[in-house]
Amino acid sequence: MKSLILQTATRSLVAVMLLFSIFLLLRGHDEPGGGFIGGLVGAAAFALYAIAFDVQSARRMLGIRPQMMIAIGLAMAGGAGIISLLASEPYFAHLWYHTEVPGFGEIHLGTFLLFDIGVFLVVIGVTLLVILTLSEE
Amino acid sequence: METLMAILIGGLFASGIYLMLRRSIVKLAIGLVLLSQSANLTIFTVAGLTRGNPPLVPEGETMPLVPYADPLPQALVLTAIVIGFGVLAFTLVLVKRVYQTVGTDDMDEMRSTDGFKD
Amino acid sequence: MSHDLLVALPIVIPLVTGVIALLFYEQRETQRIISAIGAAALLIAGIALLLEVRAEGILVSDMGGWPAPFGIPFVADLLSAVLVMMTGLIAFTVALYSLATMDPRRESFGFYPLFHILLMGIAGSFLTGDMFNLFVWFEVMLIASFVLIALGGERAQLEGAIKYVALNLISSAILLAAIGLLYGVAGTLNMADLGMKLQDVDEPWLVTAIGMLFLVSFGIKAAIFPMFFWLPASYHTPPIAVTALVAALLSKVGVYALIRAFTLIFTQETGYTHQILLVVAGLTMVTGVLGAVAQYEVRKLLSFHIISQIGYMLVGLAILSPLALAGSIFYIVHNMVTKTNLFLISGAAYRLQGTYELKQLGSLYRYHPYISALFFVSAMALAGMPPFSGFFAKLTLVRGSLEVEHYIIVAVALFTSVLTLFSMTKIWTEGYWTPSEAEENDELPPGVNSWPGWNSQMLAMFVPIIILAALSVGMGIFAQPVISLLIETAEQLLEPSLYIEAVIGDES
């Protein structure tokens, strides 16, 4: 199916959706949001691209095999737990790092962020692996 | 409300099981989806349907405003939906592969591995 | 080492191994090395955990630092520790074996990452102290096993997989609904907290009804009567390494969940629930072994035996006396070792003779006496002949049952034993003694009956078999220390307050 309207809209929509997915991911730090729904929106962007154009170009746009994305995501999410173990804390006890950035205010970073980014990547990877596998052939 | 939900859940379970008893594996997959959704609804209903505030502590307070909803069943249902989503994706791929390999979606034609002599 | 680390390691090691293997998706050789190292590390972590639990009592680690009953605890009591160690052992031997037998195509489609994710799910199920978390680990394990069983995409595999997937998903849906109902009744899902709160509920029948839902759900996963039909339809279809792994571990996770639930949580009306368990155990034993007696394909025959042996594992749970429960746990341990080994040996025989059909295997004993000896040890251990492990497992179980005067179940167990011996003898005479038809007519295909010599592939294949056979003998000859450990385990299980105290603490 090749629709000019869909393809034109997709070009601009994909960028907005990807941006929105990252917004959702980072918003999850303190408020409702997070890696899971961020990842779903991100995967939806690639899926839309695959529908409007074709699976091959969606894979090219992704630039990395979904399997690899799952692996990196799992490594980050699991690694976040292992950092706590190395610090003699229970598995997945999140560690926080507070700092003052001049002109920006206080920020706090934690192993939790690493975990959330990992989830984000895993969700995109798994969803795309399934969607792209099903729509090929 | 609980009665209504109970009837709905019962109906979903029944339809799920009915679909699973059909011979087509596509209907089997749909039946599985209905089954897992009715299980999710069960958790949601049993834990109590309260109309209330989100279970977040407002600024300057130490407790959420009463009445607030129990967040745990919602977390459970969300997790179960995510898992159900993953499993469903796999089931779909499997059904497709089975159809391609065996050439039919009739369960009765897939008895070569059952371990009983014909 | 800190307790938090020890309890988390059996889950973290397979996760790390799986992820590293996934990162090297394109390099098969690297994946093979990583997989073997990871499985060995899991075994070491399991042994360390068991030693520590035996010395220090129940270990608890609150995941994420949230105290129980609000957070999710990982709890290692003796039962969990024993089973985690056994998981490590089976993982190590099967990982080694799969180096020799797994075909390159399956290897490059992610066999090793899936293998370790499956192990993670199993270790997680054994260690978690939260009902919903148990469901999550079940799903991790199931999804990995779904893909492992279907991986390769042969027709038989796909047909087996669809039945396996459907039945296990029904079980998951029932489990999920039961968990929801349990939360509605108790307001908590922490197993220790549940065990405490449900002891004095006003409506024990409601809890018992929920318990029956758990029985059905775990029962499907454990393949008990009358919900086992998916097992012999699917377990024999994938390559032998996968079969051995799932046969040794997956149904045991179901049994573990039953033991945990029916010793800790659902003990309100034991006269009713455990009577049902006893009847089910007896029927499982008999139907399983009757199915096995009718089979002439080694893998199918062994698959039916798995079912029959699940029955033995439930007897101790149904009787709830320390000795009988110890016998059941001994049976789980013994069965993991012997059943895996029988599958591995039949895989080796397939590698040498090219068939799983008993009628065509021919006189293995004449050409490969060493394999035959290894098979003989495992088969006799499975049938419960002295001095092998199965004898003492059965003896403990039977003595435990006699102690509380359950004579019928003893009679059923011994009858099943005889039939098990019969079907093992059948494999022996048909596959190892009687020449096949082709052999009698001198029409053997070239290469059959010849021994390829001790190359590295043969070593990777036979070292695990020899280790497991040695364990079968060892657990028989040195049965006393094993039994005393398992009686300790059973006594710990029958005293739920220990578990509750370790998880929740003293303040209640």
Side-chain angles (χ1 to χ4, degrees):
Chain A
M1 185 189 71
K2 292 275 171 267
S3 148
L4 185 62
I5 299 173
L6 183 63
Q7 289 188 349
T8 318
T10 301
R11 273 184 230 282
S12 38
L13 266 179
V14 163
V16 178
M17 285 169 84
L18 286 178
L19 207 59
F20 184 56
S21 79
I22 291 171
F23 165 74
L24 281 175
L25 164 69
L26 294 179
R27 185 183 142 95
H29 203 55
D30 283 328
E31 280 173 88
F36 183 73
I37 64 169
L40 280 184
V41 172
F46 288 102
L48 179 67
Y49 198 82
I51 293 170
F53 297 91
D54 58 276
V55 176
Q56 282 318 311
S57 40
R59 276 192 194 278
R60 263 201 306 283
M61 188 171 90
L62 192 62
I64 174 174
R65 296 166 63 104
Q67 282 96 334
M68 199 49 76
M69 218 159 163
I70 299 173
I72 296 171
L74 274 179
M76 287 173 82
I82 294 171
I83 293 174
S84 346
L85 273 184
L86 294 180
S88 302
E89 292 279 328
Y91 196 46
F92 275 126
H94 288 296
L95 308 171
W96 293 95
Y97 172 71
H98 293 267
T99 183
E100 198 80 36
V101 177
F104 186 74
E106 194 200 36
I107 59 166
H108 54 281
L109 293 171
T111 49
F112 178 72
L113 184 65
L114 193 65
F115 177 76
D116 232 11
I117 297 174
V119 171
F120 179 78
L121 291 176
V122 172
V123 170
I124 296 189
V126 170
T127 317
L128 284 183
L129 183 64
V130 171
I131 291 178
L132 297 183
T133 314
L134 273 177
S135 47
E136 265 164 4
E137 293 159 28
Chain B
M1 191 61 189
E2 269 83 0
T3 323
L4 204 64
M5 288 297 278
I7 295 169
L8 178 69
I9 292 166
L12 272 176
F13 257 113
S15 338
I17 289 168
Y18 173 73
L19 282 172
M20 296 194 73
L21 294 174
R22 303 292 298 271
R23 278 155 56 181
S24 151
I25 49 173
V26 179
K27 297 200 173 92
L28 176 82
I30 300 172
L32 286 173
V33 178
L34 290 185
L35 219 55
S36 74
Q37 297 308 338
S38 46
N40 291 343
L41 278 179
T42 311
I43 298 185
F44 200 63
T45 313
V46 167
L49 298 169
T50 35
R51 211 171 240 275
N53 299 308
L56 295 171
V57 184
E59 260 178 61
E61 301 275 336
T62 51
M63 279 275 290
L65 298 173
V66 280
Y68 60 91
D70 184 355
L72 189 78
Q74 301 185 10
L76 299 187
V77 171
L78 188 63
T79 315
I81 290 176
V82 172
I83 292 173
F85 163 76
V87 172
L88 172 66
F90 172 77
T91 315
L92 281 181
V93 177
L94 182 68
V95 164
K96 189 178 172 193
R97 288 298 304 276
V98 170
Y99 180 71
Q100 283 170 344
T101 313
V102 184
T104 171
D105 78 333
D106 187 349
M107 273 302 256
D108 277 4
E109 313 260 315
M110 299 174 201
R111 299 174 55 179
S112 62
T113 67
D114 275 1
F116 305 104
K117 294 234 172 74
D118 282 327
Chain C
M1 248 195 285
S2 84
H3 290 171
D4 287 325
L5 187 63
L6 260 184
V7 176
L9 269 185
I11 298 167
V12 173
I13 289 172
L15 174 67
V16 170
T17 316
V19 167
I20 297 178
L22 201 57
L23 284 172
F24 289 97
Y25 197 75
E26 310 284 338
Q27 288 127 290
R28 273 195 309 119
E29 279 305 317
T30 325
Q31 283 193 35
R32 291 158 64 95
I33 297 166
I34 294 165
S35 162
I37 294 175
L42 181 61
L43 175 58
I44 294 168
I47 294 173
L49 181 67
L50 179 60
L51 291 178
E52 187 74 10
V53 171
R54 199 158 188 210
E56 300 275 315
I58 300 175
L59 301 184
V60 181
S61 168
D62 292 319
M63 201 160 127
W66 299 94
F70 306 107
I72 296 171
F74 284 160
V75 188
D77 67 346
L78 274 172
L79 176 66
S80 303
V82 166
L83 291 177
V84 165
M85 189 197 74
M86 289 310 294
T87 308
L89 175 72
I90 301 300
F92 177 63
T93 44
V94 175
L96 217 56
Y97 187 86
S98 58
L99 292 183
T101 54
M102 198 43 60
D103 52 310
R105 206 166 58 88
R106 286 192 174 88
E107 284 185 333
S108 54
F109 272 104
F111 170 76
Y112 293 112
L114 286 165
F115 183 96
H116 287 279
I117 299 295
L118 178 67
L119 291 176
M120 176 176 83
I122 292 165
S125 311
F126 286 148
L127 286 174
T128 184
D130 182 277
M131 257 313 167
F132 191 77
N133 197 238
L134 180 68
F135 167 77
V136 174
W137 287 121
F138 265 165
E139 296 302 295
V140 170
M141 180 179 95
L142 284 179
I143 294 182
S145 65
F146 290 166
V147 186
L148 273 179
I149 286 184
L151 190 71
E154 288 162 21
R155 177 174 171 160
Q157 279 188 295
L158 292 170
E159 285 187 16
I162 194 103
K163 292 161 201 163
Y164 177 75
V165 168
L167 265 296
N168 277 290
L169 289 186
I170 295 175
S171 141
S172 297
I174 296 173
L175 179 58
L176 197 54
I179 286 173
L181 295 171
L182 199 57
Y183 181 73
V185 172
T188 178
L189 286 175
N190 182 294
M191 291 187 200
D193 205 18
L194 281 171
M196 199 164 67
K197 286 198 173 135
L198 292 180
Q199 287 322 307
D200 37 51
V201 281
D202 305 328
E203 296 150 324
W205 53 270
L206 190 57
V207 179
T208 306
I210 297 173
M212 290 297 102
L213 274 180
F214 275 98
L215 175 64
V216 171
S217 164
F218 292 150
I220 294 178
K221 288 184 205 295
I224 63 176
F225 179 86
M227 298 170 286
F228 59 73
F229 292 97
W230 57 271
L231 192 149
S234 58
Y235 268 16
H236 63 92
T237 55
I240 205 80
V242 178
T243 307
L245 188 70
V246 293
L249 297 176
L250 288 196
S251 43
K252 309 306 175 290
V253 179
V255 175
Y256 162 80
L258 281 173
I259 292 181
R260 179 66 78 214
F262 284 87
T263 55
L264 181 62
I265 302 172
F266 302 110
T267 49
Q268 293 78 21
E269 295 179 304
T270 44
Y272 177 72
T273 48
H274 290 65
Q275 191 64 36
I276 293 184
L277 277 170
L278 194 63
V279 173
V280 163
L283 287 171
T284 311
M285 280 193 254
V286 176
T287 43
V289 82
L290 287 179
V293 166
Q295 295 300 322
Y296 274 90
E297 211 262 26
V298 182
R299 291 176 303 172
K300 283 187 189 174
L301 195 156
L302 293 175
S303 300
F304 273 103
H305 269 301
I306 300 174
I307 299 165
S308 145
Q309 265 119 25
I310 299 287
Y312 286 99
M313 297 167 201
L314 291 185
V315 171
L317 174 62
I319 290 175
L320 272 189
S321 77
L323 195 60
L325 196 54
S328 274
I329 301 166
F330 197 166
Y331 215 91
I332 298 179
V333 171
H334 141 76
N335 191 253
M336 280 176 158
V337 171
T338 8
K339 189 42 66 71
T340 313
N341 207 15
L342 284 172
F343 273 115
L344 296 188
I345 293 169
S346 65
Y350 177 78
R351 167 77 179 67
L352 294 168
Q353 306 290 82
T355 179
Y356 288 111
E357 289 293 336
L358 281 180
K359 297 268 187 206
Q360 292 159 22
L361 266 175
S363 42
L364 266 178
Y365 180 66
R366 188 161 138 207
Y367 302 104
H368 307 295
Y370 300 113
I371 302 178
S372 310
L374 290 168
F375 171 80
F376 188 78
V377 169
S378 295
M380 288 305 117
L382 190 78
M385 290 289 116
F388 305 117
S389 56
F391 174 72
F392 291 98
K394 256 174 214 171
L395 186 70
T396 320
L397 196 59
V398 166
R399 275 192 51 197
S401 316
L402 286 179
E403 225 175 50
V404 284
E405 303 181 344
H406 278 288
Y407 297 117
I408 301 177
I409 200 74
V410 172
V412 172
L414 294 179
F415 172 69
T416 309
S417 233
V418 173
L419 286 182
T420 311
L421 183 60
F422 167 71
S423 64
M424 285 299 128
T425 329
K426 189 175 78 182
I427 301 188
W428 179 255
T429 47
E430 291 287 343
Y432 290 78
W433 265 353
T434 322
S436 64
E437 245 174 64
E439 206 175 327
E440 279 179 336
N441 303 339
D442 284 329
E443 292 166 350
L444 278 184
V448 169
N449 287 340
S450 62
W451 174 250
W454 285 111
N455 54 26
S456 64
Q457 206 190 23
M458 282 292 138
L459 271 180
M461 204 159 174
F462 277 97
V463 167
I465 296 180
I466 292 169
I467 294 176
L468 290 174
L471 271 174
S472 282
V473 180
M475 280 198 299
I477 294 175
F478 302 102
Q480 191 50 46
V482 181
I483 291 178
S484 60
L485 167 70
L486 295 178
I487 287 183
E488 233 176 273
T489 310
E491 279 165 353
Q492 201 179 62
L493 280 173
L494 293 174
E495 193 54 62
S497 59
L498 292 174
Y499 187 95
I500 295 170
E501 208 166 279
V503 176
I504 311 248
D506 294 325
E507 64 264 54
S508 49

